[in-house]
């Protein structure tokens, strides 16, 4: 089975934007060639997320990921991606210091990593940066709500947009990103009702993670939906497979067969 946009032709920032009001967008993270090859035909968007700082590098947050690390992973993913739209996260402090620095880093990520768009966190405050990147020919996906790069400001990974004031400011942020030229916005960790309101208000698609069913698309970390992070099962994650258990079982069997000299057999020998 393939995603509806992906079957038609190569998914781009333009086709993602035009998908609003049509089929729900399907997005997933990938950080390496093998995973990207497996998911490319099934989804519309592959995100090389800075979540790789946690998922791949084992850090408690995403803050230490560098531009060069994002480029390294993006190159591997880009070698596999044929159909889906390839987006890369701009890591912490690669775009917040100045618009010029954001432009230089985003350009580097596209030119050296092979990304087709960048994603960055923040709303009204980031609008001038988004505008400049878009004017330079770099498609920008926004990211609002629970913004992992602001983990210390948020006091942890907490659901955002719960008060009336926070709801209002999230809506303002979303409109500011759209006005600045963002072609889509990830909404993470916000109440479903708020995500619905934002999605209805915008002309560009919203892609939710922990933001309910009424966004224009959904994204999950690949390792999470595959059940590879066995101990990580927050409310917004569904395990569509239990590969973590499969890996443990397979490696235990491999170890046993090596110890018992049941592997390799003649069949695996020259
Ligand atoms: O870094 C990431 O993987 C993300 C997604 C979870 C949206 O930003």
């Amino acid at each position: 089975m393939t995603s509806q946009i992906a079957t038609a032709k190569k998914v781009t920032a333009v086709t993602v934007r035009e998908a609003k009001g049509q089929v729900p967008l399907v997005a997933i993270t990938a950080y390496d060639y093998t995973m990207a090859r497996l998911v490319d035909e099934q989804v519309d968007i592959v995100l090389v997320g800075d979540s790789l700082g946690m998922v791949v590098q084992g850090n408690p947050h995403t803050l230490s990921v560098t531009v060069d690390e994002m480029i390294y992973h993006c190159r591997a993913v880009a070698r596999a991606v044929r159909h889906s739209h390839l987006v890369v996260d701009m890591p912490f402090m690669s775009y917040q210091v100045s618009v010029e620095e954001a432009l230089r880093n985003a350009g580097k990520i596209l030119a050296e990593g092979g990304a087709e768009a960048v994603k960055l966190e923040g709303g009204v405050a980031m609008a001038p940066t988004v505008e400049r990147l878009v004017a330079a020919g770099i498609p920008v996906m926004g990211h609002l709500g629970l913004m992992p790069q602001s983990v210390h400001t948020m006091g942890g990974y907490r659901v955002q947009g719960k008060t009336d004031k926070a709801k209002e400011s999230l809506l303002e942020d979303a409109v500011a990103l759209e006005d600045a030229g963002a072609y889509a916005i990830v909404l993470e960790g916000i109440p479903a009702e708020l995500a619905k309101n934002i999605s209805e208000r915008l002309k560009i698609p919203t892609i939710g993670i922990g933001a309910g069913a009424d966004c224009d698309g959904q994204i999950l970390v690949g390792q999470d939906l595959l059940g590879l992070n066995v101990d990580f099962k927050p409310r917004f994650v569904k395990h569509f497979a239990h590969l973590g258990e499969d890996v443990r079982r397979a490696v235990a069997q491999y170890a046993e067969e090596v110890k018992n000299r049941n592997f390799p057999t003649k069949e695996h020998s020259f």
Side-chain angles (χ1 to χ4, degrees), residues 9 11 18 23 43 62 101 106 113 174 187 226 245 248 264:
K9 52 183 179 222
V11 184
E18 288 172 351
V23 288
V43 300
T62 61
E101 221 167 297
L187 297 177
L226 294 172
E245 288 161 23
R248 280 185 178 150

Side-chain angles (χ1 to χ4, degrees), residues 7-267:
T7 46
K9 52 183 179 222
K10 173 81 178 81
V11 184
T12 67
V14 174
T15 48
V16 165
R17 192 176 52 224
E18 288 172 351
K20 177 90 178 179
Q22 298 177 32
V23 288
L25 290 158
V26 184
I28 190 171
T29 66
Y31 317 113
D32 64 52
Y33 176 80
T34 303
M35 185 68 89
R37 269 195 79 182
L38 287 169
V39 305
D40 179 41
E41 293 276 349
Q42 331 290 333
V43 300
D44 302 307
I45 299 168
V46 171
L47 170 71
V48 182
D50 62 350
S51 50
L52 68 84
M54 301 167 87
V55 179
V56 177
Q57 299 174 339
N59 294 312
H61 49 62
T62 61
L63 306 185
S64 53
V65 178
T66 66
V67 168
D68 285 339
E69 285 169 347
M70 293 307 297
I71 289 172
Y72 170 85
H73 285 276
C74 185
R75 274 188 180 150
V77 170
R79 282 182 204 115
V81 165
R82 296 283 173 275
H83 296 285
S84 46
H85 173 53
L86 178 54
V87 185
V88 175
D89 263 333
M90 295 200 69
F92 183 58
M93 283 302 129
S94 69
Y95 59 97
Q96 293 94 336
V97 176
S98 71
V99 174
E100 282 65 35
E101 221 167 297
L103 193 53
R104 211 174 352 262
N105 284 323
K108 192 169 144 103
I109 287 171
L110 261 65
E112 295 178 23
E116 296 159 6
V118 296
K119 176 165 81 58
L120 53 82
E121 299 178 8
V124 171
M126 282 301 138
T129 304
V130 172
E131 206 167 329
R132 185 75 191 281
L133 296 187
V134 173
I138 301 172
V140 180
M141 181 180 282
H143 185 146
L144 294 173
L146 194 168
M147 297 184 289
Q149 292 177 15
S150 300
V151 58
H152 297 308
T153 318
M154 294 182 302
Y157 298 101
R158 297 160 185 272
V159 173
Q160 302 294 301
K162 284 181 160 176
T163 64
D164 285 349
K165 193 162 169 245
K167 284 183 183 133
E168 214 171 286
S169 101
L170 264 169
L171 189 55
E172 270 172 38
D173 284 333
V175 170
L177 288 177
E178 176 173 272
D179 289 348
Y183 70 99
I185 301 178
V186 166
L187 297 177
E188 177 166 359
I190 63 172
E193 190 62 27
L194 174 60
K196 182 174 190 275
N197 291 343
I198 294 174
S199 304
E200 284 171 359
R201 173 71 200 273
L202 298 182
K203 291 184 208 72
I204 57 172
T206 58
I207 302 169
I209 173 164
D214 292 306
C215 293
D216 301 297
Q218 297 291 328
I219 184 162
L220 280 177
V221 167
Q223 277 79 348
D224 292 348
L225 79 88
L226 294 172
L228 274 162
N229 291 326
V230 274
D231 305 325
F232 185 68
K233 178 71 183 67
R235 184 174 165 145
F236 64 88
V237 169
K238 177 173 174 180
H239 286 168
F240 290 84
H242 302 280
L243 297 194
E245 288 161 23
D246 288 350
V247 169
R248 280 185 178 150
R249 205 177 302 118
V251 175
Q253 189 180 339
Y254 164 63
E256 194 182 308
E257 291 192 15
V258 169
K259 284 180 193 150
N260 296 340
R261 299 199 177 279
N262 289 331
F263 176 85
T265 62
K266 277 202 177 120
E267 190 193 338

